[in-house]
């Protein structure tokens, strides 16, 4: 996909989200479902309706949505909701101080440069023991890793003043590590972003906490 095609796709996604937001605003009902998403996508020729509600960072929201402080929350079973909790739904990355920058001794490996996707990023920082140093301050630590996957769980939690009940919520877990009784959930990005949606880490953590309470 060329840069212009990516920009066109992004603009169509904005348009679809904006129309969905305006329709919800007119109805006075902030919840919408996948069928409504598909109908609006058809109007704009956006071919992947399941991508519309995946809004990983704030700048992928239409201006009207951001200006009124809304974000998109998944509530499970093909339903979604606009909620006015934008500042709590996203975390803005802090600046990295000069004193926090570490020069890493890089050893080239056969498969490092074949791809720049998120799975490759995670493999790279694990194989180079960057994660070992960052998480455990021990480059010879031997954590267990659990490969990426998708799972479903009923999740109930609160965002600001908003109660969320997500039934059969599907979540993607990029990578999980466990070392000496400490479980760490990782979310990979293939480029630097200004912010990210906290639910990408929070949902898997809540999933593990609920499973631990059942033991």
């Amino acid at each position: 996909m060329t840069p212009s095609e990516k920009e066109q796709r992004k603009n169509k996604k904005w348009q679809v989200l904006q129309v969905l937001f305006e329709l919800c605003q007119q109805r006075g009902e902030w919840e919408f479902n996948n069928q409504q998403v598909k109908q609006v996508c058809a109007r704009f020729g956006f071919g992947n309706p399941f991508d519309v509600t995946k809004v990983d960072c704030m700048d992928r929201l239409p201006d009207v949505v951001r200006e009124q402080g809304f974000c998109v929350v998944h509530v499970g079973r093909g339903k979604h909701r606009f909620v006015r909790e934008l500042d709590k739904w996203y975390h803005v990355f802090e600046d990295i101080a000069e004193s926090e920058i570490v020069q890493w001794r890089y050893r080239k490996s056969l498969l490092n440069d074949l791809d720049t996707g998120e799975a490759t990023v995670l493999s790279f920082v694990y194989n180079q023991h960057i994660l070992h140093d960052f998480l455990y301050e021990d480059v010879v630590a031997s954590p267990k890793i659990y490969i990426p996957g998708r799972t479903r769980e009923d999740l109930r939690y609160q965002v600001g003043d908003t109660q969320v009940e997500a039934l059969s919520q599907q979540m993607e877990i990029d990578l999980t590590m466990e070392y000496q009784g400490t479980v760490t959930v990782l979310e990979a990005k293939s480029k630097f972003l200004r912010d990210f949606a906290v639910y990408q880490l929070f949902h898997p953590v809540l999933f593990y906490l609920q499973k631990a309470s059942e033991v």
Side-chain angles (χ1 to χ4, degrees):
M1 186 179 291
T2 66
S4 62
E5 288 173 332
K6 288 182 179 178
E7 188 64 28
Q8 186 179 31
R9 177 184 174 86
K10 182 178 178 181
N11 289 339
K12 285 185 178 180
K13 183 171 177 175
W14 275 343
Q15 290 174 311
V16 172
L17 278 171
Q18 181 165 320
V19 168
L20 287 166
F21 181 76
E22 290 169 348
L23 288 172
C24 287
Q25 202 168 32
Q26 291 167 10
R27 296 198 319 259
E29 170 56 59
W30 295 107
E31 191 167 292
F32 59 100
N33 58 41
N34 283 343
Q35 185 58 38
Q36 292 166 313
V37 174
K38 290 177 181 178
Q39 290 171 352
V40 178
C41 282
R43 288 169 52 183
F44 292 97
F46 189 79
N48 186 2
F50 296 106
D51 182 58
V52 168
T53 55
K54 294 179 181 178
V55 191
D56 296 346
C57 50
M58 276 190 271
D59 69 356
R60 294 177 184 171
L61 288 168
D63 292 345
V64 65
V65 178
R66 282 187 285 114
E67 288 166 1
Q68 296 189 46
F70 281 86
C71 58
V72 181
V73 174
H74 303 285
V75 291
R77 294 181 177 173
K79 296 180 180 180
H80 319 275
R81 185 183 307 145
F82 289 105
V83 300
R84 191 176 267 129
E85 299 290 356
L86 181 70
D87 60 331
K88 298 177 182 65
W89 196 248
Y90 294 93
H91 174 79
V92 178
F93 288 114
E94 299 82 359
D95 292 332
I96 300 174
E98 282 291 330
S99 60
E100 297 175 310
I101 298 175
V102 175
Q103 294 295 324
W104 197 261
R105 184 181 178 185
Y106 170 63
R107 291 190 176 184
K108 185 175 176 60
S109 183
L110 181 63
L111 303 180
N112 280 353
D113 302 321
L114 291 182
D115 184 45
T116 57
E118 295 172 357
T120 299
V121 170
L122 282 174
S123 300
F124 173 80
V125 294
Y126 183 87
N127 292 334
Q128 294 289 321
H129 283 222
I130 295 170
L131 286 178
H132 302 62
D133 181 65
F134 180 74
L135 293 174
Y136 315 117
E137 298 182 346
D138 181 1
V139 295
V140 296
S142 184
K144 298 179 179 68
I145 65 169
Y146 298 87
I147 58 176
R150 296 185 182 187
T151 189
R152 290 182 181 274
E153 181 79 354
D154 291 347
L155 302 177
R156 294 172 179 82
Y157 56 95
Q158 183 167 326
V159 184
D161 297 323
T162 303
Q163 293 287 339
V164 177
E165 182 177 17
L167 301 178
S168 191
Q169 173 67 62
Q170 179 175 287
M171 66 193 80
E172 295 183 17
I173 304 175
D174 283 354
L175 181 65
T176 301
M177 297 171 63
E178 184 272 323
Y179 183 61
Q180 296 183 344
T182 298
V183 175
T184 305
V185 176
L186 295 101
E187 170 70 22
K189 299 296 180 188
S190 57
K191 61 181 179 180
F192 290 101
L193 302 172
R194 176 183 174 273
D195 55 71
F196 83 107
V198 177
Y199 81 87
Q200 294 174 288
L201 290 176
F202 177 70
H203 283 177
V205 169
L206 185 56
F207 165 75
Y208 285 126
L209 287 173
Q210 290 183 178
K211 291 302 180 186
S213 68
E214 296 171 3
V215 176

